[in-house]
Amino acid sequence: MSDKQSSTARQEAIKELVNKKAISDQKQLVELLMEDYGIETNQTVVSRDLRKLGVVKKMVNAVLVYEMPNIDIKTEILRLALVDISHNESMIVIKTHPGLAAFVGDCVDQHPDLELLGSLAGENVVFVAPKSIKNIHNTFKALCEKFHFKKQKGS
């Protein structure tokens, strides 16, 4: 593989990791590149890639994490509105900052591909009923991915 191909593959892996996981430092990113993609690199190269990709650090749930630049205001409001998403055996619960649950509930209802019966929003909580509880974990993961929600380690 040429240097250009390996650079492109590494940068694509970085984009995927930043979009899916809450990554707070370059050391963690270097480790994840090796664990998830088998890409061996170092902090200097990762730093250069982050700069080239325009990756920024943003405060999410009181933690600074890497984010791809985002200009879609609806996605940005949604990302900032979310406090937590969790589930049990029968329901998914989305916690939001006060006053934003209705906005989040509307966003949930606009995704028919998520296999949901519907949602009910209060002031800062949205209850989401899946069509089937058999695959609730997959529905939960799909919802987190659609809403760009990244669980913090230990959460």
Side-chain angles (χ1 to χ4, degrees):
M1 190 182 286
S2 73
D3 285 346
K4 183 167 175 69
Q5 287 174 320
S6 64
S7 173
T8 302
R10 187 182 57 248
Q11 290 171 6
E12 286 302 313
I14 288 171
K15 283 186 209 175
E16 287 180 31
L17 285 169
V18 166
N19 282 327
K20 291 182 179 178
K21 298 186 180 188
I23 302 169
S24 58
D25 62 46
Q26 293 175 6
K27 180 181 177 213
Q28 183 185 10
L29 187 52
V30 169
E31 291 169 0
L32 287 168
L33 283 167
M34 181 53 126
E35 289 172 17
D36 293 7
Y37 296 90
I39 297 173
E40 189 170 345
T41 190
N42 60 47
Q43 181 271 326
T44 306
V45 172
V46 166
S47 177
R48 204 172 324 135
D49 287 340
L50 290 171
R51 210 172 20 262
K52 184 174 182 178
L53 293 169
V55 175
V56 295
K57 271 197 157 180
K58 291 187 180 178
M59 188 70 71
V60 177
N61 295 330
V63 178
L64 277 173
V65 296
Y66 289 117
E67 292 280 333
M68 294 304 296
N70 190 347
I71 56 171
D72 178 18
I73 193 68
K74 181 178 175 182
T75 301
E76 188 70 9
I77 292 170
L78 181 61
R79 189 185 63 75
L80 292 171
L82 300 175
V83 172
D84 189 35
I85 303 176
S86 57
H87 70 90
N88 62 14
E89 296 82 19
S90 60
M91 188 171 295
I92 299 168
V93 177
I94 303 172
K95 295 181 182 174
T96 72
H97 289 284
L100 293 172
F103 173 80
V104 172
D106 285 344
C107 291
V108 168
D109 293 338
Q110 292 173 12
H111 287 282
D113 57 318
L114 287 176
E115 296 294 318
L116 305 172
L117 288 175
S119 67
L120 177 65
E123 177 72 12
N124 61 344
V125 175
V126 181
F127 293 107
V128 181
K131 281 187 180 175
S132 169
I133 60 171
K134 291 178 184 174
N135 295 320
I136 193 164
H137 186 71
N138 292 337
T139 303
F140 164 77
K141 283 174 36 178
L143 183 69
C144 288
E145 197 171 297
K146 284 260 188 216
F147 286 15
H148 307 283
F149 182 76
K150 304 170 194 174
K151 273 282 204 202
Q152 301 296 323
K153 283 191 175 182
S155 297

